[in-house]
Amino acid sequence: MNALKALQTKIQKLVYGEDPEYLRRDTLNPETDSDYMLYSPTVVGYNSTAEQNFLFQNLIMGLDPTAFTVLDIGCGRGDFYGYLSEIYDHIFGYTGIDHNPIMAELAKQKYDLDIQTGAFETIELSTYDWVVAAGYFTQRKCDNEDADLEKLFADVDKMYNVANHAVTFNLLSPINNKIHEGFFYVHPGLIMDMLLEKYQFVNIRHNYSKDIYTVTIYKHQ
């Protein structure tokens, strides 16, 4: 019980922005602060460090943390690795992929991570307990919605094929939201219908944000 309470305290501090250092990072200025690229949440598309951690936490809920290896697709600076390191005491294997070599350099500086650079679709992969994509599917990648959906399902299938236990990712919800140009919105009902038919063990959590939801596909062997 003490261990559980300690974990809950860690998560609360990370998710609800109670750490003064995280509040400092949220106000870093690209013109005057030398550590802006390393620590500002806006560099990797988040409004605040607490928001970033909140979305990370909602990706991993329901996953077994006892012993694992992680593949992080579109990993940016490797901040998901940083989040897991904060909440778990045990050692885990981490592999990150990002197409941007600048992000790989930042991950090396920040966490001493050797990120693979290149397109997830073409990199040869091993197998991993968890396969995670935090924010990877939020932007449009194709010329039309049908092509975006086709690519999404192809990417998810590749993730599933290299996962030992679970695949988890988030998507933007179009329900009662303003649609912004260049971003990819998918109705959760469509996602559930398509993925449930193919993979069977699927969970969608649309109860923590009005803008984004989490999809988790479990593998049962």
Side-chain angles (χ1 to χ4, degrees):
M1 184 61 69
N2 289 339
L4 178 59
K5 181 64 176 177
L7 178 59
Q8 290 173 336
T9 301
K10 285 182 184 180
I11 292 173
Q12 183 176 20
K13 185 177 181 180
L14 292 167
V15 167
Y16 295 105
E18 296 177 0
D19 190 326
E21 170 59 18
Y22 289 163
L23 298 177
R24 183 193 74 83
R25 296 177 185 182
D26 295 347
T27 58
L28 288 172
N29 188 314
E31 303 296 330
T32 59
D33 295 312
S34 60
D35 57 350
Y36 172 82
M37 290 295 292
L38 282 176
Y39 294 107
S40 172
T42 60
V43 171
V44 286
Y46 296 96
N47 295 314
S48 69
T49 306
E51 177 191 59
Q52 183 182 25
N53 289 338
F54 178 72
L55 294 177
F56 286 163
Q57 181 59 35
N58 277 283
L59 274 176
I60 66 175
M61 291 180 67
L63 300 183
D64 181 6
T66 55
F68 56 88
T69 54
V70 179
L71 173 63
D72 184 5
I73 299 165
C75 65
R77 298 177 303 207
D79 289 336
F80 184 65
Y81 168 87
Y83 184 77
L84 293 177
S85 298
E86 289 276 4
I87 63 173
Y88 296 131
D89 296 326
H90 58 279
I91 297 173
F92 57 92
Y94 176 88
T95 300
I97 299 174
D98 201 277
H99 73 281
N100 190 339
I102 294 175
M103 291 293 113
E105 292 176 11
L106 292 172
K108 185 65 175 178
Q109 292 179 51
K110 190 173 183 180
Y111 302 112
D112 196 27
L113 291 173
D114 293 314
I115 297 301
Q116 295 186 49
T117 55
F120 154 68
E121 299 89 342
T122 58
I123 290 178
E124 186 173 343
L125 300 171
S126 181
T127 58
Y128 311 85
D129 294 335
W130 301 358
V131 180
V132 177
Y136 181 74
F137 298 115
T138 56
Q139 293 188 325
R140 296 284 302 271
K141 295 180 173 65
C142 303
D143 294 331
N144 58 71
E145 184 176 331
D146 287 344
D148 274 319
L149 280 172
E150 184 176 344
K151 186 178 188 319
L152 169 65
F153 293 131
D155 287 348
V156 168
D157 202 51
K158 182 169 184 179
M159 293 165 66
Y160 185 85
N161 288 335
V162 299
N164 294 324
H165 299 309
V167 170
T168 185
F169 56 94
N170 45 31
L171 294 168
L172 293 175
S173 175
I175 301 174
N176 298 322
N177 283 321
K178 182 178 180 180
I179 305 302
H180 297 277
E181 187 70 26
F183 289 88
F184 183 41
Y185 299 82
V186 193
H187 196 288
L190 171 64
I191 290 296
M192 176 58 89
D193 286 346
M194 297 294 291
L195 297 184
L196 189 63
E197 183 173 342
K198 184 168 186 178
Y199 302 112
Q200 188 174 359
F201 302 105
V202 180
N203 181 52
I204 288 182
R205 297 184 57 252
H206 198 295
N207 63 344
Y208 63 90
S209 169
K210 71 180 187 66
D211 301 311
I212 198 165
Y213 60 96
T214 297
V215 180
T216 304
I217 307 171
Y218 297 95
K219 294 189 77 169
H220 295 256
Q221 298 177 349

